[in-house]
Amino acid sequence: MKTVWFLPLLFLYLVVFSSGYGKNVSSRPDVVNIGAIFTFNSSIGKVSKIAIEEAVKDVNSNSSILHGTKLNLTMVDSNCSGFLGMVEALKFMETDIVAIIGPQCSTVAHIISYVSNELKIPLLSFAVTDPTLSSLQFPFFVRTTQSDSYQMAAVAETVEYFGWKAVIAIYVDNEYGRNGVSALNDKLAERRCKISFKVGIPPVSGVDRGDIIDLLVKVALMESRIIILHVGPELGVLVFSVAHYLGMMGNGYVWIATDWLAYFLDTKSPLPYEKLDTMQGVILLRQHTPNSDKKKAFLSRWKQLTGGTLGMNSYGLYAYDSVWMLAHAIDAFFNQGGIVRFSNDSRLNSQEGSDLHLDAMSVFDDGMLLLNNIVQSNLVGLTGPLKFTPDRSLVHPAYEIINVIGTGIRRIGYWSNYSGLSTVPPETLYTRPPNRSSANQKLHSVIWPGDTSTNPRGWVFPNNGKLLKIGVPVRVGYKEFVSQIRGTNNFKGFCIDVFTAAVTLLPYAVPYQFVPFGNGRDNPSYTELVYQITTGEYDGVIGDIAIVTNRTKIVDFTQPYAASGLVVVAPFKKLNTGAWAFMRPFNPFMWIVTAAFFLVVGIVVWILEHRTNDEFRGPPKQQFITILWFSLSTMFFAHRENTVSTLGRLVLIIWLFVVLIINSSYTASLTSILTVQQLSSSVKGIESLKNSDDPIGYQVGSFAEYYLSQELNISKSRLVALGSPEAYAKALKDGPKKGGVAAVVDERPYVELFLSSQCSFRIVGQEFTKSGWGFAFPRDSPLAVDLSTAILALAESGDLQRIHDKWLLKSSCTMESAELESDRLHLKSFWGLFLICGIACFIALFIYFMQIMHQLRTADPPDAISCEASSGRSRHLHRFLSLMDEKEDPSKSKSKRAKVERSPFENDRDEESGRHSNRRQTELATMSNNLSN
């Protein structure tokens, strides 16, 4: 009965517990096989071998990691050989290992990554930095250190920080060196820098000192003095020794070593002074691992393990952390039900009978599960956080930037992918918002090769006897700017003098030769001349080269040494001021309205004053004259009639204010007409040219043709090419009707020189483009930068203006003389006024003489003159002269005028009063006679 119950319970146990909870327990083996492949005898390998062994011991001694499962480590030496690495990797695959720590070399990694992909064995490489090993191509390759793409970004930002534009790359010619330099080139290009020269060293032991000497001699002949050294420790030390021997570790040189030098110095420390002396002033990079108690404890333990004979480097720390990362991943693998189980590949089974025994290799069935756990790692090791980004890179990539000084090294700053260059540890910056601004990029001072703290310029002219080929346009017109000296390749002119003066200010010699460009019959195409720089035909181009957009896309220009821009030149005519110029301030309608208001105001004031003011009373004719006189005299504020009514005074005050404004405006306008040059042109500017159909002239070779046709969409059929100032003048004088042009569009410097001798033309409208003239050089040329500084120095010292005045200051026709002439007033501007005044005087005299003649005929001859004593003609002349000389009694004229002006009633009253007065006087006389008697 007990047996009957026992069998079902046993079956239930085997089914339920074996398929559930019991699966995790039973699937954990006692031992898990892992492998390690690297180069034992290298600086990295010596340290990594001990670090990996210690890591395995620590994991196996910690029961909380694998819960009783032990790691069984097998290490093989690949000697950085692709062939040996492949052989050793294939041997690993026969031992049922679940993962491989390594490899160390990029060459080996490229080969065995294909094997690991097929057999699903993860590779945890602690030393391969080749950026081309992608997780997309090799999903089972996991990089547990930093990629060289980050290291080269640090190098590129350092180069940019010091203002260098071109570097020389020396590298070992294998996957590590080539792919690292390729990444460097990409990172430099992002910052508009470049590798101007690169040379590879064969990765073989047969390279001797003589080969390195030949290589560095080539480097010394190059322009750049910034040298990036991306090799292994053995080659690197040899390169520094030869460079020191050749004097290439002196003033002006900059050497930047990638992290190979850092782990070499860390491993070999202290390095003999003889070797360290060959590296003075070198800048190097080292992978940054933040300080922590765990790291300090391990470094203390390391000294006990090695007895101080072997230093720890960053790759040793990454190797140690790789073991721990794998151990945690294996533990998670088992917790998820993973089973260490291998199966044969059917493709390999088909190779039966082969001596290679390929059928011994098997596929790790749950390899993908283990890989996922590795990639999802999230722990803290000796090197800091062990966590991957989506592209399988470790988080927080950072490097220390170090300067070799004296008998040791000094850290001058840090680089991190988070915030760039800084003088504080990156882990401090991770707590702040990222800031990649140029102002935030900082490094401590550097002691450069040659024991100097002055930042090297970074380039020199190559000492190879080669002269810079400077292209110069052969102009036909406007030779004041550039002209070739007949029979030679030398040039003269404003642009040439500016270039030679700027070159003399440079702190170094510039060997160059001028190369003419053009056929000498027509102005050459300046765009084509500039393009010749990109083809290598010229090392630079000087002359009257306009800095325009399509040219700046292919070359670099210096600071502009002359302002420029397109302007319109057109014929003009002077507005004739003439005899009737005084009428021009007001248009006819204004004159009519003004005259009408004078009359209207006079009538209004007369109406308002007539009843109360005696001065506005009298006969109709006299009142009409009073109205005219009063209204017109207000023009000069000379009216003598008084206004007594309030309304009349109000109207008069307002009108006098209006007259004041009118007089002031008239005076100002007339002054402007008579003293300021008045010019007129049918062309008002570029807009009027666009809207017309008239032909437009431009200078041959100028960018004006491109601008007019492409930017302003003016038909090319309207554009007329002109090659000289004489052609300008003829085309403008002829005009569109005679086969000429309505206007010429050209750059301001040419136009100013043209107008200095051609007084019949003027600039119309505004300058409608803004540019300048500069010297052109290849992209990122340091000479363009230095010449820009020299041009600014010329401008500040006044030399640039003196050169301008020497070649371009002309006095035959200047605006100043024209303005001075226009300030002088001539009789022709006023003879109309004098004519009016003369006519008025003539008419007044004529009327006066007519009155005299009338009196001469009606008056009696005087008694004093005897009519008989003179002839008839003489008598009339004497009578005429006596009337002219005779003084008229104003009382008579006044009494006569008063008598005429009085009414009949007033005259009768005066006669009556006269009779009474006479009678009174008679009575008074009679009384006086009586008294006397």
Side-chain angles (χ1 to χ4, degrees):
M1 189 66 181
K2 292 181 179 180
T3 304
V4 174
W5 284 102
F6 175 78
L7 291 176
L9 290 174
L10 178 61
F11 177 79
L12 181 63
Y13 175 83
L14 292 176
V15 173
V16 176
F17 289 91
S18 297
S19 62
Y21 175 79
K23 180 178 180 180
N24 290 337
V25 177
S26 62
S27 63
R28 281 184 181 267
D30 294 334
V31 176
V32 175
N33 295 323
I34 64 172
I37 181 169
F38 51 90
T39 303
F40 291 171
N41 197 33
S42 64
S43 298
I44 294 177
K46 292 177 181 179
V47 174
S48 299
K49 184 175 184 298
I50 301 174
I52 293 173
E53 290 174 343
E54 290 302 309
V56 172
K57 290 179 183 179
D58 292 344
V59 169
N60 288 337
S61 63
N62 191 336
S63 59
S64 64
I65 301 299
L66 292 176
H67 304 285
T69 301
K70 304 296 183 182
L71 296 180
N72 182 33
L73 174 66
T74 303
M75 292 190 293
V76 295
D77 187 1
S78 67
N79 200 28
C80 272
S81 168
F83 175 72
L84 293 178
M86 181 184 63
V87 171
E88 297 298 338
L90 293 176
K91 288 181 180 180
F92 271 145
M93 306 310 172
E94 299 178 358
T95 60
D96 292 343
I97 61 173
V98 298
I100 297 175
I101 305 297
Q104 172 188 337
C105 300
S106 299
T107 304
V108 178
H110 277 277
I111 294 175
I112 69 173
S113 290
Y114 288 102
V115 179
S116 67
N117 280 353
E118 297 298 329
L119 302 182
K120 296 182 173 30
I121 307 297
L123 300 176
L124 283 76
S125 178
F126 60 89
V128 172
T129 58
D130 182 355
T132 63
L133 283 164
S134 167
S135 60
L136 296 176
Q137 183 181 7
F138 305 113
F140 280 83
F141 174 83
V142 180
R143 195 194 316 272
T144 58
T145 186
Q146 300 296 347
S147 169
D148 272 344
S149 62
Y150 295 115
Q151 179 173 210
M152 295 311 171
V155 172
E157 289 200 34
T158 302
V159 169
E160 182 188 36
Y161 175 80
F162 289 108
W164 304 316
K165 292 297 182 181
V167 303
I168 295 174
I170 301 175
Y171 61 97
V172 58
D173 196 8
N174 57 17
E175 286 82 356
Y176 160 74
R178 287 192 301 271
N179 296 332
V181 169
S182 177
L184 173 63
N185 190 52
D186 293 340
K187 297 301 181 180
L188 287 172
E190 292 175 2
R191 290 158 179 80
R192 291 196 64 184
C193 304
K194 65 178 181 179
I195 298 177
S196 61
F197 182 69
K198 58 183 178 180
V199 56
I201 304 175
V204 295
S205 58
V207 177
D208 57 15
R209 189 177 182 87
D211 297 329
I212 302 301
I213 290 176
D214 293 340
L215 181 148
L216 291 185
V217 167
K218 294 179 182 179
V219 171
L221 296 177
M222 295 297 109
E223 179 181 271
S224 176
R225 285 293 182 263
I226 314 300
I227 304 171
I228 312 298
L229 192 57
H230 187 55
V231 295
E234 292 77 12
L235 278 177
V237 172
L238 180 58
V239 168
F240 281 133
S241 176
V242 173
H244 186 268
Y245 168 76
L246 295 176
M248 297 176 65
M249 299 299 297
N251 241 342
Y253 281 91
V254 175
W255 289 82
I256 301 177
T258 52
D259 63 349
W260 66 265
L261 182 55
Y263 68 73
F264 176 75
L265 293 177
D266 291 339
T267 305
K268 300 292 185 179
S269 182
L271 197 68
Y273 181 74
E274 293 75 15
K275 288 188 176 181
L276 204 60
D277 186 50
T278 64
M279 308 174 186
Q280 293 299 303
V282 172
I283 292 178
L284 58 101
L285 278 77
R286 177 168 61 191
Q287 295 190 42
H288 174 67
T289 56
N291 292 323
S292 63
D293 294 338
K294 184 184 296 187
K295 178 181 174 182
K296 292 178 181 178
F298 183 78
L299 293 178
S300 177
R301 175 183 166 191
W302 181 265
K303 291 181 180 179
Q304 296 176 0
L305 291 171
T306 61
T309 59
L310 190 64
M312 171 58 71
N313 57 49
S314 59
Y315 289 103
L317 298 176
Y318 281 114
Y320 182 89
D321 283 348
S322 298
V323 176
W324 275 89
M325 182 186 295
L326 177 59
H328 281 278
I330 291 174
D331 182 57
F333 170 81
F334 288 139
N335 290 336
Q336 295 169 5
I339 301 175
V340 179
R341 182 173 55 198
F342 296 86
S343 60
N344 293 331
D345 192 336
S346 59
R347 293 171 297 177
L348 298 178
N349 292 336
S350 63
Q351 304 296 326
E352 292 181 1
S354 173
D355 295 335
L356 295 177
H357 302 288
L358 297 177
D359 55 341
M361 292 185 295
S362 54
V363 178
F364 182 19
D365 293 339
D366 285 344
M368 183 58 73
L369 179 60
L370 177 60
L371 175 65
N372 290 336
N373 283 294
I374 293 173
V375 173
Q376 294 172 8
S377 297
N378 188 5
L379 60 149
V380 177
L382 301 180
T383 58
L386 298 178
K387 186 178 179 180
F388 293 98
T389 61
D391 64 348
R392 298 264 191 99
S393 298
L394 286 176
V395 296
H396 301 325
Y399 287 84
E400 298 175 9
I401 303 175
I402 297 170
N403 189 200
V404 178
I405 302 174
T407 58
I409 58 177
R410 181 175 72 97
R411 184 172 53 235
I412 61 173
Y414 301 87
W415 176 89
S416 69
N417 194 46
Y418 186 75
S419 58
L421 301 173
S422 66
T423 55
V424 297
E427 49 270 20
T428 304
L429 300 175
Y430 295 147
T431 60
R432 309 172 187 171
N435 188 350
R436 299 300 292 266
S437 65
S438 58
N440 198 53
Q441 306 299 295
K442 295 178 182 178
L443 290 175
H444 293 301
S445 59
V446 181
I447 302 299
W448 303 102
D451 196 26
T452 177
S453 59
T454 302
N455 293 342
R457 187 172 66 247
W459 71 281
V460 295
F461 279 98
N463 188 20
N464 54 12
K466 178 184 175 182
L467 298 177
L468 290 178
K469 293 188 295 183
I470 304 297
V472 186
V474 180
R475 292 196 57 85
V476 177
Y478 295 111
K479 294 188 175 182
E480 292 86 350
F481 296 104
V482 177
S483 65
Q484 186 176 11
I485 300 175
R486 186 182 298 274
T488 69
N489 283 339
N490 293 327
F491 289 80
K492 63 180 180 179
F494 167 68
C495 303
I496 304 301
D497 282 4
V498 172
F499 175 75
T500 55
V503 167
T504 58
L505 294 180
L506 298 179
Y508 47 84
V510 180
Y512 64 88
Q513 61 178 347
F514 290 141
V515 181
F517 179 80
N519 56 22
R521 297 185 299 274
D522 301 305
N523 290 334
S525 170
Y526 281 26
T527 300
E528 178 63 25
L529 174 60
V530 171
Y531 180 77
Q532 295 293 325
I533 296 177
T534 64
T535 63
E537 184 69 22
Y538 300 122
D539 299 309
V541 168
I542 68 170
D544 44 340
I545 313 295
I547 304 173
V548 294
T549 304
N550 61 335
R551 297 173 186 171
T552 57
K553 293 178 180 178
I554 58 176
V555 297
D556 280 350
F557 281 92
T558 62
Q559 171 80 15
Y561 62 87
S564 181
L566 293 179
V567 294
V568 179
V569 181
F572 74 96
K573 62 179 180 180
K574 296 181 180 180
L575 294 179
N576 186 15
T577 55
W580 307 102
F582 66 90
M583 299 291 292
R584 285 177 52 199
F586 295 157
N587 61 18
F589 184 69
M590 179 67 179
W591 280 114
I592 293 172
V593 171
T594 303
F597 262 86
F598 273 106
L599 183 60
V600 168
V601 169
I603 295 173
V604 170
V605 172
W606 180 83
I607 293 173
L608 297 174
E609 296 289 326
H610 178 68
R611 295 183 61 193
T612 58
N613 193 339
D614 292 340
E615 295 183 358
F616 288 88
R617 297 183 63 82
K621 178 180 178 181
Q622 181 181 351
Q623 295 303 301
F624 179 74
I625 294 174
T626 300
I627 291 173
L628 291 179
W629 170 254
F630 175 82
S631 60
L632 294 178
S633 63
T634 58
M635 180 187 301
F636 310 103
F637 306 99
H639 55 284
R640 291 181 295 177
E641 290 80 5
N642 293 321
T643 54
V644 296
S645 68
T646 304
L647 292 177
R649 291 176 178 177
L650 178 63
V651 170
L652 183 61
I653 289 175
I654 295 175
W655 174 242
L656 290 178
F657 178 76
V658 173
V659 169
L660 174 65
I661 300 301
I662 293 175
N663 281 345
S664 301
S665 302
Y666 177 86
T667 304
S669 180
L670 183 62
T671 302
S672 175
I673 291 172
L674 297 178
T675 60
V676 178
Q677 189 69 267
Q678 302 291 313
L679 308 178
S680 175
S681 174
S682 59
V683 178
K684 305 303 180 183
I686 189 62
E687 291 299 327
S688 65
L689 276 181
K690 285 174 58 179
N691 298 330
S692 70
D693 294 326
D694 294 333
I696 303 171
Y698 69 92
Q699 184 179 178
V700 176
S702 170
F703 79 98
E705 179 188 13
Y706 172 84
Y707 188 88
L708 292 172
S709 61
Q710 301 299 321
E711 300 294 335
L712 300 182
N713 297 319
I714 296 176
S715 174
K716 288 188 176 182
S717 61
R718 294 178 55 195
L719 304 182
V720 179
L722 304 172
S724 65
E726 294 75 17
Y728 280 21
K730 184 179 184 306
L732 288 170
K733 288 178 180 178
D734 291 345
K737 296 182 179 179
K738 297 182 180 180
V741 296
V744 171
V745 175
D746 205 352
E747 296 177 65
R748 179 174 286 276
Y750 302 121
V751 170
E752 290 177 349
L753 187 60
F754 171 72
L755 295 181
S756 67
S757 58
Q758 297 289 337
C759 304
S760 301
F761 313 104
R762 284 291 184 273
I763 296 174
V764 295
Q766 298 295 321
E767 184 175 341
F768 55 93
T769 67
K770 291 292 184 182
S771 62
W773 288 354
F775 305 133
F777 292 92
R779 296 298 296 268
D780 303 320
S781 171
L783 189 58
V785 178
D786 290 351
L787 276 178
S788 294
T789 304
I791 289 171
L792 289 174
L794 287 175
E796 292 170 358
S797 65
D799 291 338
L800 188 60
Q801 184 62 41
R802 283 188 282 272
I803 296 173
H804 175 276
D805 295 344
K806 171 186 174 182
W807 288 99
L808 307 179
L809 188 62
K810 306 295 182 181
S811 58
S812 59
C813 179
T814 61
M815 291 299 294
E816 288 77 7
S817 62
E819 290 177 359
L820 180 63
E821 182 67 20
S822 67
D823 288 339
R824 297 172 180 169
L825 301 179
H826 300 273
L827 178 62
K828 65 180 181 180
S829 300
F830 298 96
W831 72 265
L833 292 174
F834 290 121
L835 177 63
I836 292 175
C837 184
I839 292 174
C841 294
F842 175 77
I843 293 175
L845 289 175
F846 178 78
I847 294 174
Y848 178 74
F849 286 133
M850 289 297 101
Q851 292 176 347
I852 295 296
M853 295 300 295
H854 177 72
Q855 293 181 14
L856 184 64
R857 288 195 301 268
T858 58
D860 295 332
D863 297 338
I865 301 176
S866 174
C867 294
E868 297 176 356
S870 302
S871 64
R873 179 177 300 178
S874 177
R875 184 175 65 252
H876 286 291
L877 178 61
H878 282 285
R879 179 60 180 158
F880 177 77
L881 293 177
S882 63
L883 286 175
M884 290 285 297
D885 186 56
E886 181 180 300
K887 181 179 180 181
E888 184 177 6
D889 187 3
S891 62
K892 290 183 179 180
S893 60
K894 286 182 180 180
S895 61
K896 183 178 180 181
R897 185 167 57 250
K899 198 173 206 182
V900 172
E901 291 176 355
R902 290 178 181 179
S903 63
F905 174 77
E906 291 175 332
N907 291 333
D908 293 343
R909 186 177 58 188
D910 289 345
E911 289 177 0
E912 181 66 24
S913 63
R915 286 194 298 269
H916 285 293
S917 177
N918 291 333
R919 192 165 47 249
R920 181 64 177 170
Q921 290 177 0
T922 302
E923 291 176 355
L924 290 175
T926 304
M927 290 178 63
S928 106
N929 289 330
N930 295 330
L931 290 175
S932 60
N933 293 328

